Amino acid sequence: MEIQNSQYQLSDGINPLDLCEQYDAPLYVYDSAIIQRQFHRLNNAFNVKDLKINYACKALTNVNILRLMRQMGAGLDTVSIQELKLGLRAGFEPQNIIFTPNCVSLEEIEQAKSYGVKINIDNLSILEQFGDKYPDYPVCIRINPHIMAGGNAKISVGHIDSKFGISFHQLPHVKRIVESTGMQVEGIHMHTGSDIYDVELFLNGADILLNVAKEFPDLKYIDFGSGFKVPYKPNDISTDIEEFGQRITERFNTFCQNYGRDLTLMFEPGKFLVSESGYFFVKVNVVKQTISNLFAGVDSGLNHLIRPMFYDAYHKIVNVSRPEGRKRIYTVVGYVCETDTFGINRKITEIQEGDILCFYNAGAYCFSMASNYNSRYRPAEVLVHEGKAYLIRERETMEDLLRGQVELGIFEKISTTEPVNS
Ligand SMILES: *Cc1c(COP(=O)(O)O)cnc(C)c1O
């Protein structure tokens, strides 16, 4: 359901150039049909009695996306008290929200608890303190199975050096804390990071987790986290969800049989659900031939889409304004005043200044990681849903940049934001 190569229609027949005309570039556009497709794919991949998919909302937190997720039947995985509040605002029942923070204070966890959400604890110190204070409030425990999933150190969180989770080698101490506080453990969890290409490795982690789980008699769910990889490049490897689903299903059902009860199988995907639904449209300001490079400089930068600079992420780039014609090799760069490269050596149909380029896979960790660096406004967001395009976030304004700033009276205050000669 790509933007089609010849006429660049979004899946609902909406022309992105019209959207850029109406809302101006740079512009984020999300296609709900793709989110729905991914959700149903995941839902159908597992053949278990009880399955719950919790959307890891840090990937894309627009409240309309959260409402769409809720409407489809997803729960919510949150990593901050603010995400939790957004989830409540979007109408999620507290019991359908799980709070999975890392290195947050006991106070923040207590605040989450006061809303009645599921609490996932990822270190022994907090486990001990929480258990002492609230032995009657059931918790989930995040286990680190020490597997190195994924190809990128910045997004791999399950290995031995990682700050996430409680090592499965510490199980004896976990049990000691649980027994001495009398706290209840209702869930066991792992999340080993993004971009798992190796299903075998993930299954090794799952086996370790199930081994831990059998030590806790009062479980309601086992949460295998996420990390499903989606394609970014043409012919990219991606997690084979159907194969993965089959193999986890076997293990999980066998586990439940031995455990003596059916538990809920949980996952918490972010990228898998929203990455491919997003497109980021930018306008080319300058085409610049230097001695060694042909640059296309666009009206955006790492302030709006940081993944290429931060993770070396590849985002496919096409020239939406010029679908046909000769291709040339470009380095696409942003307007931020430091090295700000979106893509090197990209074959793109010949670009003229003013053309609209589209970045693919702009649903996950794109807008949600955007900043105001260089004092630029964050872009608008549009949701295409059932044949209509809706503005779901306005482009920022000067007011937004100044909001919260305290302008002191101790400095001479001569201010205008109007051009001098207007
Ligand atoms: C970020 C995160 C996820 C989502 O990871 P994806 O690779 O986007 O699917 C899931 N669980 C936790 C705890 C996370 O922090």
Side-chain angles (χ1 to χ4, degrees):
M1 230 172 277
E2 303 210 324
I3 295 188
Q4 275 143 33
N5 259 351
S6 49
Q7 70 269 51
Y8 295 102
Q9 303 274 305
L10 282 161
S11 65
D12 276 323
I14 288 171
N15 184 339
L17 290 175
D18 294 342
L19 294 179
C20 292
E21 189 73 27
Q22 188 175 354
Y23 299 109
D24 219 354
L27 183 69
Y28 275 103
V29 178
Y30 313 111
D31 183 349
S32 69
I34 293 176
I35 298 175
Q36 287 163 334
R37 176 196 75 192
Q38 291 295 92
F39 183 76
H40 294 307
R41 247 186 95 193
L42 201 57
N43 237 335
N44 293 334
F46 308 95
N47 187 8
V48 297
K49 202 127 181 261
D50 212 357
L51 174 71
K52 189 81 193 171
I53 311 249
N54 296 318
Y55 168 51
C57 71
K58 72 177 188 285
L60 178 61
T61 34
N62 189 290
V63 73
N64 299 285
I65 300 292
L66 303 188
R67 291 204 169 104
L68 171 70
M69 294 290 178
R70 194 183 71 88
Q71 190 178 303
M72 291 189 302
L76 205 65
D77 182 76
T78 58
V79 295
S80 70
I81 196 75
Q82 291 80 8
E83 282 188 356
L84 190 163
K85 288 179 184 177
L86 284 173
L88 293 172
R89 167 101 177 203
F92 284 90
E93 299 282 328
Q95 269 306 298
N96 286 328
I97 298 177
I98 181 163
F99 186 53
T100 303
N102 173 256
C103 289
V104 306
S105 65
L106 181 63
E107 289 72 33
E108 188 169 329
I109 292 175
E110 287 175 309
Q111 210 187 334
K113 169 190 163 288
S114 73
Y115 290 104
V117 304
K118 292 191 166 80
I119 303 283
N120 191 359
I121 294 182
D122 106 318
N123 65 81
L124 290 173
S125 168
I126 296 278
L127 185 70
E128 200 165 342
Q129 294 175 71
F130 193 92
D132 268 339
K133 272 178 112 166
Y134 312 107
D136 296 330
Y137 197 92
V139 298
C140 177
I141 298 179
R142 179 172 187 168
I143 298 294
N144 188 333
H146 305 311
I147 60 166
M148 184 72 184
N152 184 328
K154 283 187 186 147
I155 54 177
S156 211
V157 298
H159 54 89
I160 195 130
D161 273 340
S162 163
K163 67 169 183 160
F164 294 94
I166 298 170
S167 167
F168 73 94
H169 296 301
Q170 290 173 308
L171 184 60
H173 197 65
V174 170
K175 286 174 70 181
R176 217 171 281 135
I177 291 171
V178 169
E179 273 157 32
S180 67
T181 58
M183 71 193 301
Q184 302 161 37
V185 179
E186 64 169 8
I188 293 290
H189 166 272
M190 73 172 190
H191 171 64
T192 51
S194 284
D195 284 4
I196 295 169
Y197 337 116
D198 191 345
V199 170
E200 283 315 317
L201 203 62
F202 192 98
L203 292 170
N204 288 347
D207 286 339
I208 291 170
L209 196 70
L210 291 172
N211 247 325
V212 170
K214 66 178 199 277
E215 304 284 320
F216 297 90
D218 304 316
L219 295 182
K220 293 192 177 131
Y221 54 89
I222 299 179
D223 185 339
F224 289 98
S226 175
F228 308 125
K229 178 158 172 28
V230 296
Y232 277 73
K233 298 179 192 180
N235 307 318
D236 209 354
I237 14 173
S238 54
T239 311
D240 183 339
I241 283 293
E242 286 71 25
E243 187 209 335
F244 173 76
Q246 236 173 33
R247 298 184 63 186
I248 281 282
T249 296
E250 281 163 25
R251 279 172 164 74
F252 189 75
N253 287 340
T254 306
F255 174 86
C256 290
Q257 219 162 26
N258 296 335
Y259 193 74
R261 270 182 310 117
D262 280 313
L263 302 181
T264 302
L265 174 61
M266 296 206 319
F267 290 97
E268 49 191 38
K271 189 179 274 184
F272 184 83
L273 294 180
V274 297
S275 173
E276 293 161 287
S277 78
Y279 304 93
F280 184 44
F281 297 99
V282 300
K283 191 180 282 177
V284 177
N285 285 337
V286 178
V287 176
K288 180 171 181 174
Q289 173 79 68
T290 65
I291 294 167
S292 59
N293 237 320
L294 180 54
F295 288 107
V298 304
D299 65 349
S300 180
L302 57 81
N303 51 332
H304 296 156
L305 175 58
I306 201 174
R307 300 187 74 259
M309 290 304 293
F310 196 44
Y311 301 122
D312 291 326
Y314 180 100
H315 287 262
K316 182 176 151 187
I317 306 171
V318 301
N319 184 350
V320 188
S321 301
R322 246 166 271 277
E324 316 284 349
R326 157 163 106 97
K327 293 197 170 180
R328 300 193 64 193
I329 295 168
Y330 291 93
T331 294
V332 179
V333 294
Y335 59 14
V336 165
C337 290
E338 62 182 275
T339 302
D340 180 16
T341 308
F342 284 125
I344 297 175
N345 297 345
R346 298 302 183 86
K347 275 185 110 172
I348 301 173
T349 44
E350 185 152 20
I351 296 173
Q352 292 187 19
E353 292 173 359
D355 282 358
I356 298 287
L357 305 186
C358 175
F359 293 82
Y360 282 61
N361 288 85
Y365 308 107
C366 294
F367 188 93
S368 68
M369 295 179 93
S371 76
N372 293 117
Y373 186 43
N374 278 207
S375 294
R376 297 285 186 180
Y377 306 143
R378 289 183 303 162
E381 292 178 291
V382 164
L383 177 66
V384 174
H385 183 63
E386 294 174 354
K388 280 172 96 167
Y390 301 89
L391 183 67
I392 56 170
R393 186 191 301 265
E394 292 175 0
R395 181 179 315 285
E396 288 180 330
T397 63
M398 205 57 208
E399 314 261 270
D400 294 308
L401 292 187
L402 284 165
R403 182 156 21 94
Q405 295 200 42
V406 179
E407 291 193 77
L408 298 179
I410 57 176
F411 303 114
E412 195 180 7
K413 205 173 165 194
I414 307 169
S415 77
T416 174
T417 50
E418 296 307 306
V420 180
N421 298 321
S422 70

